[in-house]
């Protein structure tokens, strides 16, 4: 009995170690995951062995969704309004907007806003006019 228990423990330890090594290599070779699943078998929630790639994808997707999706509480969250420092007034200087847009390097690629600097530079007069609208609102 003791030998059987020790053997099972060592098998589980070796399996975990193998899976850790495999996880480190998956980015380099994604096919290793499918090969491992195919050789060891993947079971769905009801215990059925998944053999088809579509079934494997479904089971993995269900697992990752359950791990990475936050469950919402059934109790609503009440947000109390506090006395925050509120911005009372925003002044946008048209000349500052125009000079900033004129200083853009037009040969650069767009930033995270996906706006091309050349477009912003060429439309600077129209964009600068928005400062007047923002200030009057």
């Amino acid at each position: 009995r003791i030998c059987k228990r020790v053997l099972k423990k060592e098998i589980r330890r070796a399996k975990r170690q193998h899976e850790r090594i495999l996880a480190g290599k998956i980015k380099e070779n994604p096919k290793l995951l499918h090969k491992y699943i195919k050789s060891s078998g993947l079971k769905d929630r009801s215990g059925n062995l998944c053999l088809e790639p579509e079934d494997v994808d479904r089971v993995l997707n269900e697992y990752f969704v359950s791990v990475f999706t936050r469950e919402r509480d059934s109790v609503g969250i009440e947000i109390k309004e506090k006395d925050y420092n509120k911005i009372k007034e925003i002044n946008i200087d048209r000349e500052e907007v125009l000079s900033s847009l004129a200083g853009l390097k037009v040969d650069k690629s767009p930033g995270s806003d996906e706006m091309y600097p050349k477009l912003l530079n060429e439309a600077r007069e129209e964009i600068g006019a928005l400062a007047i609208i923002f200030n009057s609102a």
Side-chain angles (χ1 to χ4, degrees), residues 22-74:
L22 182 67
K25 294 180 180 179
I26 284 179
K27 286 204 179 215
E28 299 163 7
N29 188 356
K31 292 182 180 182
L32 286 175
L33 177 63
H34 286 286
K35 182 179 176 184
Y36 175 72
I37 290 170
K38 202 173 197 181
S39 68
S40 62
L42 180 69
K43 295 181 181 178
D44 61 10
R45 290 184 183 200
S46 56
N48 299 326
L49 189 62
C50 297
L51 299 174
E52 298 298 319
E54 295 83 18
D55 294 334
V56 170
D57 291 342
R58 180 183 47 77
V59 170
L60 289 175
N61 188 42
E62 287 173 2
Y63 172 75
F64 288 124
V65 166
S66 71
V67 172
F68 294 110
T69 303
R70 288 188 188 163
E71 298 295 326
R72 294 181 180 231
D73 293 338
S74 59

Side-chain angles (χ1 to χ4, degrees), residues 27-137:
K27 286 204 179 215
E28 299 163 7
N29 188 356
K31 292 182 180 182
L32 286 175
L33 177 63
H34 286 286
K35 182 179 176 184
Y36 175 72
I37 290 170
K38 202 173 197 181
S39 68
S40 62
L42 180 69
K43 295 181 181 178
D44 61 10
R45 290 184 183 200
S46 56
N48 299 326
L49 189 62
C50 297
L51 299 174
E52 298 298 319
E54 295 83 18
D55 294 334
V56 170
D57 291 342
R58 180 183 47 77
V59 170
L60 289 175
N61 188 42
E62 287 173 2
Y63 172 75
F64 288 124
V65 166
S66 71
V67 172
F68 294 110
T69 303
R70 288 188 188 163
E71 298 295 326
R72 294 181 180 231
D73 293 338
S74 59
V75 179
I77 299 173
E78 183 179 331
I79 299 174
K80 296 179 182 177
E81 187 172 336
K82 293 186 178 181
D83 187 27
Y84 293 110
N85 295 333
K86 296 180 181 176
I87 298 174
K88 305 272 187 217
E89 185 177 316
I90 297 176
N91 287 320
I92 300 172
D93 183 28
R94 182 177 183 274
E95 297 305 318
E96 189 177 339
V97 171
L98 292 175
S99 66
S100 294
L101 292 173
L104 290 175
K105 296 179 181 178
V106 295
D107 59 334
K108 297 292 182 179
S109 58
S112 60
D113 58 0
E114 298 181 9
M115 297 291 290
Y116 285 88
K118 185 173 184 174
L119 172 73
L120 294 171
N121 187 321
E122 290 177 2
R124 67 181 175 269
E125 289 297 325
E126 291 80 5
I127 295 170
L130 292 174
I132 298 168
I133 296 170
F134 284 127
N135 289 332
S136 66

Side-chain angles (χ1 to χ4, degrees), residues 6-17:
V6 171
L7 181 63
K8 280 186 177 184
K9 183 178 179 180
E10 286 301 313
I11 289 172
R12 282 194 301 266
R13 188 192 62 72
K15 185 177 179 182
R16 279 194 308 269
Q17 181 66 24

